[in-house]
Amino acid sequence: MANDVLHHCDNPIAILAEMCRVSKSAILLKDHIADNWADRELLKLMDWFGNVGYGTPLPYNYFSSDEWRASFSDLGMAPSQYLTELHLYPPQFLGVLDRKMHFLTLLEFSKDT
């Protein structure tokens, strides 16, 4: 399981590949999606406010939906569940802060591999 970790890594796909290597059956993954420049800038701002005081690395490695799906496929994984409406924030902020910029997925080994 990785919860909001991969976008803090210098090479998120290498970390995901290592998770796949050691997994016996599945990976539960929650991270961010930046499908456009506005998503990317808002995620950077949110990430900075949430992490700057803790010394957390902030390389802002956000992927688009297509990049995530291609990465999963390249690693021989397929989402058996994929959610983008997580409602992580109070209702009055959902339209600004959520905007399907977060996902939760259960990745399982593809039947093709």
Side-chain angles (χ1 to χ4, degrees), residues 60-80:
Y60 306 117
N61 284 323
Y62 310 117
F63 295 121
S64 69
S65 299
D66 290 342
E67 290 169 320
W68 278 119
R69 288 179 196 215
S71 297
F72 301 156
S73 179
D74 290 348
L75 294 169
M77 302 296 279
S80 63

Side-chain angles (χ1 to χ4, degrees), residues 41-107:
E41 294 306 310
L42 183 54
L43 285 168
K44 286 166 71 173
L45 184 65
M46 292 167 57
D47 227 2
W48 186 86
F49 273 107
N51 293 292
V52 72
Y54 300 101
T56 304
L58 297 169
Y60 306 117
N61 284 323
Y62 310 117
F63 295 121
S64 69
S65 299
D66 290 342
E67 290 169 320
W68 278 119
R69 288 179 196 215
S71 297
F72 301 156
S73 179
D74 290 348
L75 294 169
M77 302 296 279
S80 63
Q81 300 287 322
Y82 189 87
L83 306 171
T84 58
E85 293 186 26
L86 305 182
H87 305 288
L88 300 173
Y89 306 101
Q92 62 269 32
F93 297 110
L94 287 178
V96 175
L97 299 180
D98 205 2
R99 298 180 32 208
K100 297 185 180 182
M101 295 185 305
H102 308 269
F103 72 92
L104 175 65
T105 188
L106 179 62
L107 295 171

